[in-house]
Amino acid sequence: MRILGIETTCDETAAAVVGIGFDGRGEILSSEVLSQIAEHAAYGGVVPEIAARAHVEVLDRLIARALKSANCTIKDIDGIAVAAGPGLIGGVLVGLTTAKAIALVTRKPLMAVNHLEAHALTARLTDGIGFPYLLLLASGGHTQLVAVKGVGDYVRIGTTIDDAIGEAFDKVAKMLGLPYPGGPHVESEATKGNPERFALPRPMQGRAEPNFSLSGLKTAVRLEAEKIAPLTQTDIADLCASFQAAIVDVVVDRTRVGLRRFREIAGTPKALVVAGGVAANQNMRQALQRLAVETGLKLVAPPLALCGDNAAMISWAGLERMRLGLIDDINAPARARWPLDTSGQAVGVKA
């Protein structure tokens, strides 16, 4: 079984082919990703109209390249998987329309994949882990703790009540004058700084519900920066290091609480999984690895190439769904919002 995947939900255009290897595990046959960072850098963030137009210009060629890299043609593909949301609606429509056209012409099954589900299932592609497991999904637009009980069976245990982790990184980078995208630059500066120089808050730490709140931390960084302006390079490095240390402390505390809540609703997890763009942060990985050891779990984090948006994870999620007979028809909608859990609410959290 080989699935063609398409991803256009934000500022990466991606196409991939994923199949099942001889050992029965997932196998990435090709994965092509074209970033739009250069197009958006001048604006300090993603411009939806520019993103959608860029997807239109390159998607066909990228699909052809993914098929060629996988040494197959469209006739060899068993199904078409596409990220149908959540995301920037213009970009989502580009990918979904393309996937529907291919499915119609080739009479192949169509799987309209939730982008968040693709992140949630990536650990099964890379490590073949079984259900259930606790997922920390941390990206520019999402911060959630999710009990992954099966394909299509998710319970959101905790979420952010304001900024996502990646969003907080990007906003702090912007206020400190660092280039876009901000997360990697904050991490890089943090390696040169003193994480104990600024006494920044750890929002929500110690709370019984496993939620996040990061806007106050972001404001605290701004206030510290204003006190000592104009900033030197040492100041910027120290602010980044202190900010990153606070984020890591919050993530570990919130995930520890999430693990306790997981055991109440889903039993013993098979693993602790981190996914999304922020999963590339090495300090966070190391801290979560220590937490996993402390709690007797295996930490599963995707390779760096699969942390950000990519089509290999879309292909795999489509493959998982197709094996269960979860096929979509040509009327599958594009969705700007699409909660991963069926209720759209976190367990124990008021809507």
Side-chain angles (χ1 to χ4, degrees):
M1 185 183 292
R2 284 178 283 194
I3 303 296
L4 170 66
I6 297 170
E7 158 63 38
T8 57
T9 58
C10 193
D11 60 341
E12 277 94 15
T13 313
V17 177
V18 168
I20 298 292
F22 291 113
D23 59 358
R25 292 178 59 173
E27 181 180 12
I28 299 174
L29 303 177
S30 68
S31 181
E32 303 288 339
V33 181
L34 187 61
S35 175
Q36 300 175 9
I37 287 176
E39 286 88 339
H40 301 287
Y43 304 96
V46 178
V47 181
E49 178 65 20
I50 292 175
R53 289 179 179 272
H55 292 313
V56 170
E57 291 171 1
V58 302
L59 182 56
D60 289 352
R61 297 198 302 274
L62 209 62
I63 291 171
R65 200 159 78 193
L67 290 169
K68 184 177 180 180
S69 297
N71 196 29
C72 66
T73 69
I74 196 65
K75 292 181 181 179
D76 302 314
I77 296 299
D78 297 293
I80 316 297
V82 59
L88 302 176
I89 196 65
V92 173
L93 281 167
V94 171
L96 185 58
T97 302
T98 301
K100 287 180 177 180
I102 296 172
L104 276 172
V105 170
T106 62
R107 299 182 184 275
K108 307 284 187 182
L110 174 72
M111 282 72 67
V113 171
N114 184 322
H115 175 92
L116 304 182
E117 179 173 45
H119 275 303
L121 297 175
T122 297
R124 288 173 53 77
L125 167 62
T126 59
D127 290 71
I129 65 172
F131 300 116
Y133 51 87
L134 177 67
L135 168 70
L136 167 64
L137 176 57
S139 68
H142 303 277
T143 296
Q144 300 179 15
L145 287 163
V146 179
V148 181
K149 302 168 72 176
V151 177
D153 188 3
Y154 310 99
V155 178
R156 180 151 52 96
I157 295 173
T159 187
T160 179
I161 62 175
D162 40 59
D163 291 351
I165 294 175
E167 181 184 4
F169 267 97
D170 287 342
K171 287 180 177 178
V172 165
K174 190 171 185 178
M175 74 173 67
L176 297 179
L178 298 176
Y180 170 84
H185 293 285
V186 171
E187 183 179 8
S188 177
E189 288 293 326
T191 63
K192 300 175 281 186
N194 175 10
E196 298 181 356
R197 177 177 169 187
F198 298 98
L200 298 176
R202 270 60 172 168
M204 307 291 281
Q205 192 169 48
R207 296 283 189 91
E209 70 283 1
N211 288 328
F212 299 78
S213 176
L214 300 169
S215 64
L217 175 57
K218 177 191 63 184
T219 300
V221 173
R222 178 176 59 79
L223 293 174
E224 292 291 348
E226 289 174 350
K227 286 179 188 176
I228 58 174
L231 301 177
T232 66
Q233 284 303 119
T234 298
D235 295 332
I236 291 172
D238 290 347
L239 281 166
C240 287
S242 299
F243 167 74
Q244 180 174 265
I247 287 280
V248 169
D249 285 349
V250 167
V251 165
V252 170
D253 177 75
R254 304 288 75 209
T255 304
R256 182 181 285 111
V257 175
L259 282 168
R260 290 200 292 267
R261 186 64 58 85
F262 183 101
R263 290 186 171 93
E264 293 173 3
I265 65 171
T268 302
K270 297 282 178 60
L272 170 61
V273 174
V274 59
V278 182
N281 184 286
Q282 293 302 307
N283 273 59
M284 190 170 299
R285 283 189 182 227
Q286 292 164 10
L288 289 171
Q289 176 60 46
R290 291 192 292 271
L291 174 62
V293 171
E294 172 193 322
T295 54
L297 296 173
K298 175 184 179 181
L299 176 69
V300 178
L304 296 185
L306 297 182
C307 288
D309 293 349
N310 65 89
M313 69 179 190
I314 304 299
S315 300
W316 175 254
L319 192 153
E320 291 250 45
R321 295 183 69 80
M322 186 173 169
R323 287 195 295 192
L324 296 174
L326 301 174
I327 310 298
D328 293 283
D329 64 30
I330 206 65
N331 296 314
R335 308 189 194 201
R337 297 181 180 275
W338 193 356
L340 185 56
D341 61 314
T342 55
S343 70
Q345 297 184 29
V347 172
V349 179
K350 294 181 180 179

